[in-house]
Amino acid sequence: MKDIVVYNTLTRKYEKLETLTPGLVKMYVCGPTVYDHSHIGHARTYVAFDGIKKYLMLRGYQVLHVQNITDIDDKIINKANELGVDWREIVETYSKEYFELMGKLGIRANINPRVTEHIPEIIEFIDDLIKKGYAYVAPSGVYFDVDKYPYYGQLSGIKDKKMWNQETFVKDKKNPYDFALWKCAKPGEPWWESPWCKGRPGWHIECSTMSSKYLGKQFDIHGGARDLIFPHHENEIAQSEARFGVHPWVRYWLHTGYLTIKGEKMSKSLGNIIALKDVLAKYDPKVVRLWLLSAHYRTELNFDWEALERTKTSLERMRMTVSALRRLVEKGSPKGRLSEWEIEAINKAIDLRNSFHEAMSYDFNTPKALASVSEMMKLGNEALEKESYEASLAVLGAIEEADRVFEVFVEESKADVEPFVELLVEVRKELRNRKLWDLADMIRSRLAELGVRLLDKGKETEWRFA
């Protein structure tokens, strides 16, 4: 089995994964700010990292996965003011929706810390930065002194100070690019007591505090969408390395590519946000999960309803193949002697399993891994046609192993489709006996669309998964 190699945004290189603790991956993924509906772009990132986590687990790693909830922020306050409700109502509504949708997509982190439950730790973090000379107190709040940190710009590659401006400028900041650690509350805003003023945390300090609380002063993987590289992740690195005196703070930075609509990044200003709940209302979450994993996590992915429809059809066929393989294996038994074809098929199943792992081992290349799964399905259909127990068993094992990452091909809870296919074949036989050829042909065509091939042999009909 090959070493796992990842593309590290920090070094801009492919690197062998070597964890701080052998056999354990500590991974933090930036979660949502719960002020509105989760959208398909969120799902792209969270599904990608779930696939990464599950492949690491398949390879024998224990994974401690932390994904936060930002439950206090300017956007939440503004939304509450816009609707005339308490800010906590906004948080409750959208965090509940978020967890429900993630559950449907098969995503569950080990820990989902919330900002408002970690205010004392955040204050302690900021106080330590002040004592170490990396932060200063101003009338409007507490700010990180970027000039005191020598590596600023290492993650984003932005070295020009003129390009560092990232927040609304306030007069009491030393530099326009210094960022807020603590914001003094304005009238009507929620606040917490602190040594500096009644207020609330800045955005960036929240993730540094929660990740270090649960994963330690250094950890293995930090992930998120590409648009978080600057300023959010850049600021996280600066304040964390400043406090803990470590470099690098995180070993590997992984970032997902944008999800676009007709080639444009989703944004409220363009009015092209697609709510995840609306997508899941139209498509099985497994279809959405498979479609999202069909693209490499670092590439740009364009949202396309037609692509989802094609994925739906493809997944239906794959599931029927897996169902038929499981049935044959459950009913069959070893013959004790293999044909040349069966020996070749078993060896091919092994090769396809190896090619799946080779793809996933090199920066989690899910589209290449899916190509191997597709070949497994073709081989499985050949095994079904030849009614080979041994070949079916080998192929099924390879598919089920791959599905520990994708979690879409094997259906545990749905009723068996085989009796329904048999029923349709019987109905079609009766229609042919009555010479109702149009209806008989319609059943043949519709079954073909679902991946079922009918073979007429005189008055009898056999069927196979295509």
Side-chain angles (χ1 to χ4, degrees):
M1 197 73 72
K2 290 192 173 184
D3 293 329
I4 296 176
V5 173
V6 301
Y7 182 80
N8 189 351
T9 307
L10 182 64
T11 61
R12 296 160 185 77
K13 294 178 182 177
Y14 290 96
E15 299 176 0
K16 176 183 173 182
L17 180 68
E18 294 181 309
T19 59
L20 290 162
T21 302
L24 172 65
V25 176
K26 295 180 179 181
M27 181 173 76
Y28 184 87
V29 180
C30 285
T33 300
V34 283
Y35 74 101
D36 208 338
H37 298 291
S38 297
H39 56 68
I40 190 65
H42 294 138
R44 198 278 163 95
T45 293
Y46 304 144
V47 167
F49 280 100
D50 187 69
I52 288 169
K53 175 177 76 171
K54 281 165 181 169
Y55 183 68
L56 292 169
M57 292 170 66
L58 179 59
R59 287 292 298 272
Y61 285 97
Q62 180 183 352
V63 181
L64 179 54
H65 174 200
V66 179
Q67 189 161 306
N68 72 294
I69 298 290
T70 297
D71 60 350
I72 185 64
D73 184 80
D74 289 342
K75 293 176 181 177
I76 294 171
I77 295 170
N78 293 339
K79 186 66 172 279
N81 291 337
E82 176 188 327
L83 298 180
V85 298
D86 188 271
W87 63 274
R88 284 163 289 211
E89 185 177 331
I90 300 296
V91 168
E92 178 62 26
T93 297
Y94 294 114
S95 59
K96 181 180 178 181
E97 179 193 88
Y98 165 77
F99 284 115
E100 288 175 353
L101 297 176
M102 292 305 106
K104 289 179 180 179
L105 289 170
I107 299 168
R108 178 175 293 178
N110 299 97
I111 306 170
N112 290 110
R114 295 177 180 240
V115 174
T116 58
E117 295 171 353
H118 295 79
I119 299 298
E121 292 92 339
I122 291 171
I123 291 173
E124 180 184 348
F125 199 121
I126 297 170
D127 189 54
D128 204 14
L129 287 174
I130 294 171
K131 290 175 180 176
K132 288 178 172 158
Y134 287 100
Y136 58 91
V137 181
S140 60
V142 183
Y143 297 92
F144 186 85
D145 192 341
V146 172
D147 283 344
K148 295 288 181 67
Y149 175 72
Y151 305 111
Y152 198 80
Q154 62 184 313
L155 183 68
S156 63
I158 302 173
K159 299 293 186 179
D160 185 353
K161 290 186 177 182
K162 295 178 182 177
M163 303 293 290
W164 287 352
N165 296 355
Q166 54 191 282
E167 295 179 345
T168 303
F169 182 70
V170 293
K171 293 180 180 179
D172 53 15
K173 285 204 299 185
K174 288 184 180 179
N175 301 294
Y177 43 77
D178 293 346
F179 56 90
L181 301 172
W182 187 265
K183 298 180 178 182
C184 295
K186 298 174 184 176
E189 289 185 347
W191 53 267
W192 287 262
E193 291 283 3
S194 83
W196 318 290
C197 61
K198 293 179 179 179
R200 56 191 169 85
W203 175 30
H204 317 295
I205 196 67
E206 300 166 351
C207 284
S208 287
T209 301
M210 291 184 289
S211 61
S212 61
K213 177 179 173 65
Y214 296 102
L215 301 178
K217 295 179 180 180
Q218 283 183 295
F219 55 94
D220 302 299
I221 294 175
H222 194 312
R226 183 179 300 167
D227 58 358
L228 296 180
I229 293 174
F230 187 88
H232 185 51
H233 289 165
E234 194 78 74
N235 292 349
E236 276 193 75
I237 292 174
Q239 62 203 9
S240 299
E241 293 191 354
R243 184 189 186 194
F244 299 127
V246 296
H247 183 70
W249 171 51
V250 174
R251 281 199 168 187
Y252 308 97
W253 286 85
L254 277 56
H255 291 95
T256 55
Y258 296 124
L259 190 140
T260 58
I261 308 292
K262 295 181 180 179
E264 295 182 308
K265 185 186 172 188
M266 284 198 302
S267 71
K268 290 204 169 190
S269 60
L270 293 174
N272 61 357
I273 298 288
I274 296 179
L276 180 56
K277 67 183 181 65
D278 294 337
V279 178
L280 295 184
K282 293 183 179 181
Y283 288 96
D284 184 328
K286 300 296 185 184
V287 172
V288 178
R289 182 180 173 93
L290 180 59
W291 175 69
L292 290 169
L293 289 172
S294 68
H296 191 281
Y297 77 93
R298 287 193 293 110
T299 62
E300 183 177 291
L301 177 61
N302 192 62
F303 183 81
D304 184 355
W305 290 108
E306 291 181 3
L308 277 168
E309 192 63 33
R310 291 192 296 270
T311 302
K312 175 185 175 183
T313 301
S314 176
L315 182 56
E316 286 172 348
R317 292 177 178 175
M318 289 177 166
R319 283 174 162 178
M320 285 193 292
T321 296
V322 173
S323 177
L325 285 169
R326 299 184 95 184
R327 195 140 291 97
L328 191 152
V329 168
E330 288 169 2
K331 293 179 180 178
S333 60
K335 298 188 297 294
R337 180 169 180 166
L338 301 179
S339 68
E340 287 187 16
W341 180 88
E342 286 174 316
I343 294 171
E344 290 176 4
I346 291 170
N347 286 328
K348 186 175 180 181
I350 293 170
D351 290 341
L352 289 170
R353 173 188 176 273
N354 290 338
S355 65
F356 162 80
H357 279 286
E358 186 175 345
M360 290 301 297
S361 295
Y362 196 76
D363 200 31
F364 313 106
N365 193 330
T366 51
K368 193 172 180 181
L370 272 172
S372 296
V373 174
S374 294
E375 290 300 313
M376 294 176 194
M377 296 291 178
K378 291 179 184 178
L379 185 60
N381 285 321
E382 289 183 50
L384 289 169
E385 191 162 347
K386 295 180 183 294
E387 298 182 349
S388 169
Y389 168 86
E390 289 84 358
S392 295
L393 183 63
V395 175
L396 182 61
I399 292 172
E400 289 180 335
E401 185 167 327
D403 204 44
R404 288 173 63 184
V405 174
F406 291 99
E407 293 191 340
V408 295
F409 305 122
V410 179
E411 291 184 284
E412 298 289 350
S413 59
K414 290 197 173 181
D416 178 24
V417 299
E418 196 168 305
F420 296 100
V421 176
E422 294 281 6
L423 176 61
L424 287 170
V425 170
E426 285 297 315
V427 171
R428 181 175 175 274
K429 179 180 178 181
E430 183 61 30
L431 291 172
R432 293 178 73 209
N433 290 338
R434 298 184 186 187
K435 299 183 179 181
L436 297 173
W437 310 116
D438 288 346
L439 289 174
D441 288 344
M442 182 191 73
I443 290 177
R444 174 196 283 274
S445 297
R446 294 299 298 275
L447 286 174
E449 290 174 6
L450 296 172
V452 179
R453 182 160 55 98
L454 301 186
L455 306 171
D456 292 323
K457 297 182 178 180
K459 292 186 177 181
E460 299 302 317
T461 300
E462 295 181 2
W463 63 273
R464 299 282 185 272
F465 289 109

